[in-house]
Amino acid sequence: MPLSEQEQRLLDEMERHLMRNDADVVSAPTDGRTLSYRNIVYGTVLVLLGLGGLIVGVAAPLIVVGVIGFVVMLGGVILAVTPTRGLGKIPTAEPDRPAKAKTNTSFMDRMNDRWDKRQGDH
């Protein structure tokens, strides 16, 4: 079911607020390390090869082949999920715009107040 226009605007505003105030949560990792697509592809290929070796080792009673297949699979997973040094910082949605000063009310309280105000207008 598609969102109404009001719900879409509210969702867009929430996303902008999250990007502006919680950029460290949105743009992890923060130290310039990112996942490499090349490593993900190589890791996936190693996992598939290791899985094949593990199946062959279990199907034919060759324990050594199964163990080697498992080690290759483990190496593929480690290769795929290990972050590498990126070229730079991940850009945020609005880099030139400073964050607003903190207020005493929470974001959700302001959204609820705004919702109540709009419901009272109708």
Side-chain angles (χ1 to χ4, degrees):
M1 174 155 88
L3 296 175
S4 69
E5 186 176 321
Q6 179 180 2
E7 291 170 332
Q8 186 64 43
R9 281 194 314 258
L10 182 62
L11 180 62
D12 291 339
E13 186 174 335
M14 290 170 67
E15 287 175 357
R16 283 192 303 273
H17 176 77
L18 181 64
M19 290 296 288
R20 195 176 323 118
N21 293 333
D22 297 329
D24 57 333
V25 174
V26 175
S27 64
T30 58
D31 63 351
R33 295 174 62 97
T34 59
L35 292 178
S36 166
Y37 291 114
R38 178 181 292 166
N39 285 355
I40 292 172
V41 170
Y42 289 157
T44 303
V45 169
L46 283 175
V47 167
L48 293 175
L49 289 174
L51 182 62
L54 183 64
I55 290 172
V56 168
V58 170
L62 300 171
I63 296 176
V64 174
V65 175
V67 170
I68 291 173
F70 179 78
V71 170
V72 170
M73 281 176 50
L74 185 63
V77 169
I78 291 172
L79 178 65
V81 300
T82 302
T84 58
R85 284 274 172 207
L87 295 176
K89 190 176 174 184
I90 298 173
T92 58
E94 300 175 29
D96 297 333
R97 187 173 180 184
K100 290 182 182 177
K102 295 283 182 181
T103 59
N104 291 337
T105 60
S106 73
F107 175 71
M108 288 308 295
D109 289 338
R110 290 191 310 261
M111 289 294 111
N112 286 331
D113 291 342
R114 195 176 286 176
W115 176 262
D116 292 339
K117 180 182 171 190
R118 288 183 181 168
Q119 293 300 316
D121 291 343
H122 293 274

